[in-house]
Amino acid sequence: MYDHPRSAMFFAVSGVALLGLTTSVLAQNASITASGFSQHWGTSNADYDLNGDGVVNGADLSMFLQSGGSESTGQNVTSSSGGGESNSLAPAGTETPGAASVAAAGPSAPNFMRNAAGTEGARIYPGSGFAGPTSVPEQVGDATVTGGTAKAIARWDFIPYRTITSPTNIAVTAFHMGGIDRVSFSANGGAWVDVREMKRNPQSGVWEYFVTLDPADFADGKIEIRAIAWPTNGQPRALQGAIAGRERLGEYSMIVWNNRGGTLPAAQRWISPTGTDSNDGLSANAPMRTIAKAAASIHAAQGGDAGGGFINMLPGEYSWSGARKDEFGAAVVAPVTNERWLTVRRDPGSTGEVTVTSNDSDGAVATKLFSIEGLRFQSATAARSGNTPNALLWIANCDLRGDHTADTRQWVDQGYVGGFLTQTRISNSANGVNRGLFVRDLHIENIGKDGLVQVPHVLSSSLKGLTRPAGVVWHCDVMQFAQNNPGNPNQNVIVYGFKAFDCRSQGLFARAAPAAGNPTWRDFAFVNYFSEFSQGSNHTAQWNVSVDHLVMWNSSLIGGVFMVRGYEGEALLSYNNVSIKNSVFTKLTLTAACAAVVDAARNHSITGPLWGLGATAGDPKFVSTATNDYRPRTDSPLQGKVEDPMLPVDSNLNLVAHPANVGSFED
């Protein structure tokens, strides 16, 4: 399917510099590139371990960036088009960084709205509007073949309600055990455009299905985009309809706002720790003091809807508090945001950090669509109490730091239906992300409990260091999916490009409690999933729930046994449409019900038993497990065993060869 040389896909990075590095030191390491940090992340590679602490991590990347290292050049540009990914200062022409760069998250970020020449997908053009729901057949192809009754697994790789001003790629990630034939896109009822293969989307760094929407082709205002993922044989999945109530399932239309003509409101207010709410906030020279007052001012200026507005935070330390009052204690209106984001961001025209060092339970503002960009939260969180209907939180390009690994503060799941996190780092806390909706380019480091819990869409993200702190008793997982009541079984889940190292925990945990009534989960894809777990702690990885359509491709669960169980309590579990291919396990055990239906091929088991055609066993001969380098050596039994690669890249974003390696990594 893919025939590429074994060469690394590189990405450009941009971030806040945390440490200094002299140009003379960099000169001694002239071969260092930003792309190399992705490959060596979490290892002890001497070239990239710039501070000599024994591990390649965000501190080293920050030193590299501070010294002027990069893989792209250009002048800073400013965009004010609305919503985290498009509002940052960034070098012109940069591309999205991979997971390594998020450890240096902060003021600078790639400009996602900038499309270099030759990077666009097929163009979509507007129609006169959709007349009603798009009709999709229940079945295509041959239902009798393997996977012929399974439904396509598909989700948007795009944040809804964004405002755009320049050509923008609208993307879908999609998988099916029998293969995806195409993904079709339509904007405002216009002609459907078919995309028949994954390509690298330069605006996300992900190999996926995407089209390009040029705002010049559309009038200013709201655009509705629908998509259909068509399997070769099986059930198509349509992404259409209202978002509210379907956020977790992911089956909704993508809503985008075009403001190329500048006709949509985009009011700005400035705030400062030394400002006063007696000011009008119309410039950095007359800043207000509080987010609440600035949000209320935008709400009034835009006629009762603050969506599309910006609150620019000047450098300094802030408290995330006082959601409905100004600095004098006077009540202010809660801003309305119906279908566009209200964005709080580091001031694009300033240098220096914006740090939030405290919060109260009300948070800084209560509104439906709230975006936070370019901030550092130190011992504070943006989560809040209360409930705003259908409220969503988008955290972009931020650095979220707890006090210690027993610090159980939540980052997105309180006060919101769920959260989106892009190009963000979480560190030194108990939890990574609990009940988020979507993460991309998220790096989690040094935590004590769970990495990702109930996150249905994970792209190009990583976890480094999970150890339960002394004195606490809780269940630790790299990634967890759970159901505790009869409603809302998990379905349509994609984990694509995830790496976890140095985790004394379970490598994957999926379970429906007896109180849930033995539900059947549907349509899960774990693709390029790597988990180094247990680490001598006797933890396992477990799948403890009935499932129809489970895909695990080019993945590795290293350290303990991965058990696909037959019972949960007294309930007999059922399995249908299971595909496990090109993956490496310390040990994989399948219950008889799963073994009878699994479509398995080219898997490797370190300690047995063997599963599927072309299975191998024994020492996988990784380059160096001591330094987290799990690429296969040249004499490894994993080398070159996959004649027809199913994926274009490995977990390090290296292009796969033909034939490709078994497991998560190429050479």
Side-chain angles (χ1 to χ4, degrees):
M1 184 181 300
Y2 298 99
D3 188 5
H4 300 299
R6 281 195 169 110
S7 61
M9 178 196 305
F10 70 87
F11 52 83
V13 300
S14 177
V16 58
L18 306 178
L19 298 171
L21 177 67
T22 65
T23 55
S24 62
V25 172
L26 183 63
Q28 296 172 12
N29 296 274
S31 62
I32 294 177
T33 62
S35 61
F37 281 93
S38 177
Q39 179 176 348
H40 298 294
W41 193 257
T43 73
S44 61
N45 182 278
D47 290 334
Y48 286 82
D49 180 20
L50 300 181
N51 63 3
D53 66 355
V55 62
V56 179
N57 58 21
D60 304 301
L61 179 62
S62 298
M63 294 170 71
F64 172 78
L65 294 170
Q66 177 71 25
S67 71
S70 68
E71 287 180 340
S72 63
T73 60
Q75 300 299 314
N76 280 351
V77 296
T78 303
S79 171
S80 295
S81 45
E85 289 179 317
S86 60
N87 307 324
S88 301
L89 293 174
T94 58
E95 297 177 335
T96 306
S101 69
V102 301
S108 294
N111 182 351
F112 280 62
M113 309 309 300
R114 180 174 294 277
N115 241 347
T119 62
E120 295 185 354
R123 292 269 286 274
I124 54 172
Y125 295 93
S128 56
F130 292 101
T134 300
S135 178
V136 178
E138 292 187 3
Q139 177 74 40
V140 294
D142 186 352
T144 66
V145 302
T146 300
T149 61
K151 191 171 186 175
I153 311 167
R155 304 186 72 101
W156 296 105
D157 179 10
F158 199 82
I159 308 296
Y161 302 120
R162 278 177 56 184
T163 302
I164 66 172
T165 59
S166 59
T168 302
N169 294 339
I170 310 296
V172 166
T173 49
F175 297 97
H176 185 279
M177 66 180 294
I180 294 292
D181 178 70
R182 67 192 186 279
V183 176
S184 304
F185 297 82
S186 174
N188 288 348
W192 287 88
V193 175
D194 292 336
V195 180
R196 294 189 175 273
E197 65 175 334
M198 287 190 287
K199 294 183 179 179
R200 183 175 181 268
N201 179 358
Q203 295 180 358
S204 69
V206 178
W207 283 73
E208 55 195 353
Y209 303 89
F210 65 93
V211 292
T212 296
L213 188 157
D214 189 337
D217 299 326
F218 293 75
D220 277 12
K222 183 177 178 179
I223 302 171
E224 178 189 0
I225 305 158
R226 298 180 182 179
I228 306 170
W230 301 88
T232 304
N233 299 285
Q235 300 175 19
R237 184 179 298 272
L239 306 183
Q240 64 173 324
I243 297 176
R246 302 174 71 82
E247 300 95 344
R248 194 156 295 279
L249 177 62
E251 290 184 355
Y252 52 76
S253 296
M254 181 53 59
I255 302 301
V256 178
W257 289 86
N258 180 19
N259 198 25
R260 182 176 182 270
T263 62
L264 301 183
Q268 299 191 59
R269 296 292 184 270
W270 277 259
I271 67 172
S272 169
T274 59
T276 173
D277 284 344
S278 298
N279 288 337
D280 60 18
L282 294 178
S283 74
N285 295 322
M288 294 174 169
R289 180 70 175 266
T290 65
I291 291 174
K293 180 67 173 180
S297 178
I298 292 173
H299 170 95
Q302 296 187 170
D305 191 321
F310 297 92
I311 299 173
N312 300 316
M313 302 178 73
L314 295 167
E317 292 189 1
Y318 292 80
S319 175
W320 204 258
S321 58
R324 291 181 175 86
K325 57 187 179 182
D326 65 15
E327 68 168 310
F328 308 110
V332 296
V333 66
V336 172
T337 48
N338 284 318
E339 289 193 286
R340 297 174 68 207
W341 297 94
L342 171 63
T343 299
V344 176
R345 63 182 179 179
R346 184 190 65 86
D347 175 39
S350 300
T351 59
E353 291 188 5
V354 174
T355 304
V356 178
T357 57
S358 64
N359 67 277
D360 65 19
S361 60
D362 291 332
V365 70
T367 192
K368 177 185 172 184
L369 300 175
F370 192 35
S371 171
I372 304 168
E373 180 190 0
L375 312 186
R376 170 173 294 157
F377 284 78
Q378 179 68 60
S379 307
T381 178
R384 58 178 175 80
S385 61
N387 180 35
T388 301
N390 306 314
L392 299 172
L393 176 66
W394 180 10
I395 298 176
N397 218 54
C398 288
D399 187 354
L400 313 179
R401 302 183 182 188
D403 290 329
H404 46 72
T405 59
D407 180 351
T408 57
R409 77 182 73 235
Q410 299 294 334
W411 300 109
V412 298
D413 73 325
Q414 293 177 339
Y416 300 92
V417 173
F420 306 93
L421 291 94
T422 55
Q423 292 180 284
T424 287
R425 178 195 187 212
I426 297 173
S427 63
N428 202 36
S429 69
N431 298 298
V433 176
N434 190 343
R435 297 190 61 79
L437 298 174
F438 170 66
V439 303
R440 184 194 338 109
D441 287 327
L442 172 72
H443 180 65
I444 305 168
E445 190 168 357
N446 189 35
I447 62 171
K449 192 173 186 289
D450 297 316
L452 295 166
V453 177
Q454 288 290 97
V455 182
H457 199 189
V458 178
L459 298 178
S460 302
S461 296
S462 61
L463 166 60
K464 178 72 165 62
L466 192 169
T467 300
R468 184 173 63 192
V472 300
V473 179
W474 53 39
H475 176 110
C476 300
D477 297 311
V478 168
M479 186 170 293
Q480 178 191 128
F481 295 94
Q483 182 181 347
N484 296 316
N485 56 64
N488 300 318
N490 285 305
Q491 54 186 317
N492 195 33
V493 171
I494 295 175
V495 180
Y496 176 30
F498 176 79
K499 299 183 292 185
F501 297 99
D502 299 337
C503 297
R504 294 176 61 84
S505 65
Q506 294 201 120
L508 174 65
F509 183 71
R511 176 179 182 262
N518 193 21
T520 296
W521 294 359
R522 300 183 187 279
D523 310 317
F524 273 69
F526 295 92
V527 179
N528 282 353
Y529 180 90
F530 178 88
S531 181
E532 181 198 47
F533 64 102
S534 185
Q535 297 287 285
S537 61
N538 297 319
H539 283 93
T540 64
Q542 301 183 57
W543 188 276
N544 294 6
V545 62
S546 296
V547 65
D548 185 352
H549 197 199
L550 170 63
V551 171
M552 182 168 280
W553 291 344
N554 293 44
S555 295
S556 305
L557 283 90
I558 306 298
V561 60
F562 177 32
M563 298 182 291
V564 180
R565 294 184 177 273
Y567 287 86
E568 173 52 44
E570 306 245 339
L572 178 65
L573 303 181
S574 65
Y575 293 87
N576 189 35
N577 293 319
V578 178
S579 179
I580 304 175
K581 294 183 176 181
N582 308 337
S583 296
V584 180
F585 305 93
T586 293
K587 184 177 182 179
L588 172 64
T589 63
L590 302 180
T591 183
C594 183
V597 301
V598 66
D599 179 24
R602 298 174 299 276
N603 297 308
H604 183 87
S605 181
I606 298 173
T607 62
L610 303 183
W611 298 104
L613 299 173
T616 54
D619 182 357
K621 298 183 179 179
F622 296 124
V623 171
S624 174
T625 59
T627 59
N628 292 334
D629 190 342
Y630 284 90
R631 294 173 300 155
R633 298 191 325 234
T634 56
D635 60 342
S636 168
L638 310 180
Q639 278 277 351
K641 298 296 185 182
V642 184
E643 292 293 337
D644 186 16
M646 305 165 72
L647 299 167
V649 292
D650 71 357
S651 294
N652 271 339
L653 298 180
N654 291 333
L655 295 170
V656 302
H658 187 99
N661 296 340
V662 173
S664 301
F665 303 114
E666 287 292 301
D667 300 343

